[in-house]
């Protein structure tokens, strides 16, 4: 057969053509261990972030329905006031970031206890739980997004293109599946506790367990993994830890 000339880009470089499988492999190889560690910590945490309807159902059982909007107000107000200053504090160092996340995980454990335990089955307990969720979100939501983003690969892969948008879409896709699984599991746990005559509190026990596991993973990856190494943070300006990003 005849010789087929390769395709050439405008700059004189040969155009690399990859199959779908080769593209997937190339993209996955671009994600370093620090990214996967951060993603696992956040994915496990998301199992504590099931739909707010579970909270509403619990609150309706122990307090007047007219007070339910106040729970959302408390939650939102705390997040509005604290998210920005806590995010700035987190950005000062990976040590700050990890410590704030652990404190945030602890607040979510307390929130689940407030919603799930018989001793706090009262309006005061529901308000305390809502306040703790607000503190949890202020301490973790923006910070976890920033943490994952800080380990996302940048640059260009021949045959694939720029990685930044691909990395964001890939992460959103994975966490979307996690949230769907979280709600499904919360429903199963709530049904089991209701069948046992305890009310729909099973989801809160599962949420507390997810926070504890997520915190344990963060400690492990900080001690023996990559989540306490500032040089692995990917700088958006095209530098990583003082050297050019790959």
């Amino acid at each position: 057969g005849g010789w087929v000339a390769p395709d050439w880009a405008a700059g004189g470089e040969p155009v690399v053509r990859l199959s779908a499988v080769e593209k997937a492999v190339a993209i996955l190889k671009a994600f370093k261990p620090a990214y996967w560690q951060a993603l696992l910590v956040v994915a496990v945490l998301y199992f504590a972030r099931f739909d707010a309807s579970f909270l509403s159902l619990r609150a309706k059982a122990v307090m007047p329905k007219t007070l339910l909007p106040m729970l959302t107000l408390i939650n939102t107000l705390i997040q509005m006031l604290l998210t920005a200053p806590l995010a700035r504090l987190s950005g000062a160092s990976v040590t700050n970031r990890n410590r704030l996340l652990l404190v945030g995980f602890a607040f979510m454990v307390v929130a689940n206890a407030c919603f799930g335990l018989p001793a706090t089955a009262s309006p005061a307990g529901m308000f305390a739980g809502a306040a703790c969720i607000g503190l949890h979100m202020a301490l973790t939501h923006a910070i976890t997004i920033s943490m994952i983003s800080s380990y996302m690969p940048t640059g260009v892969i021949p045959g694939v293109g720029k990685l930044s948008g691909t990395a964001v879409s890939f992460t959103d896709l994975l966490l979307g599946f996690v949230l769907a699984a979280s709600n499904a599991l919360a429903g199963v746990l709530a049904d089991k506790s209701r069948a046992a005559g305890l009310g729909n509190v099973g989801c809160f026990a599962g949420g507390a367990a997810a926070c504890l596991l997520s915190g344990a993973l963060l400690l492990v990856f900080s001690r023996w993994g990559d989540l306490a190494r500032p040089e692995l943070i990917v700088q958006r300006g095209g530098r990583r830890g003082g050297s050019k990003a790959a």
Side-chain angles (χ1 to χ4, degrees):
W3 177 78
V4 178
D7 293 331
W8 293 84
E13 295 292 330
V15 175
V16 178
R17 300 192 181 279
L18 301 177
S19 67
V21 173
E22 290 172 331
K23 287 182 179 180
V25 171
I27 291 171
L28 290 176
K29 284 183 177 180
F31 290 93
K32 303 304 180 184
Y35 168 84
W36 296 110
Q37 293 168 22
L39 183 65
L40 182 58
V41 169
V42 177
V44 173
L45 174 65
Y46 272 30
F47 276 92
R49 293 186 180 173
F50 40 79
D51 194 88
S53 60
F54 292 98
L55 308 179
S56 298
L57 287 173
R58 176 58 173 165
K60 286 178 183 178
V62 300
M63 64 187 293
K65 294 181 180 179
T66 54
L67 293 178
L68 292 179
M70 294 299 295
L71 297 180
T72 302
L73 177 62
I74 290 173
N75 183 332
T76 304
L77 184 61
I78 291 175
Q79 290 188 58
M80 182 180 67
L81 293 174
L82 296 181
T83 296
L86 288 171
R88 284 195 296 269
L89 180 60
S90 167
S93 69
V94 292
T95 299
N96 281 6
R97 180 197 70 192
N98 293 344
R99 288 175 177 172
L100 288 173
L101 287 176
L102 290 172
V103 173
F105 297 166
F107 272 116
M108 193 59 158
V109 172
V110 174
N112 279 287
C114 289
F115 282 106
L117 293 178
T120 51
S122 65
M126 300 300 100
F127 282 119
C132 286
I133 290 178
L135 288 166
H136 163 79
M137 294 300 290
L139 282 157
T140 64
H141 184 58
I143 297 175
T144 52
I145 292 173
S146 175
M147 178 175 69
I148 294 178
S149 298
S150 71
Y151 298 117
M152 286 182 182
T154 59
V156 177
I157 295 179
V160 176
K162 292 183 178 181
L163 279 172
S164 298
T166 301
V168 172
S169 299
F170 176 73
T171 302
D172 287 344
L173 177 65
L174 291 181
L175 292 180
F177 283 121
V178 171
L179 280 175
S182 169
N183 283 303
L185 180 59
V188 170
L189 294 174
D191 288 342
K192 287 186 176 297
S193 62
R194 188 182 300 111
L198 302 174
N200 67 323
V201 298
C203 54
F204 303 114
C211 282
L212 291 172
L213 179 55
S214 184
L217 287 170
L218 179 57
L219 289 171
V220 168
F221 292 141
S222 297
R223 177 66 178 84
W224 293 286
D226 297 326
L227 297 189
R229 299 175 59 188
E231 70 273 15
L232 297 179
I233 299 294
V234 177
Q235 304 299 326
R236 296 296 104 178
R239 300 183 67 80
R240 174 187 300 163
S243 61
K244 289 186 178 180

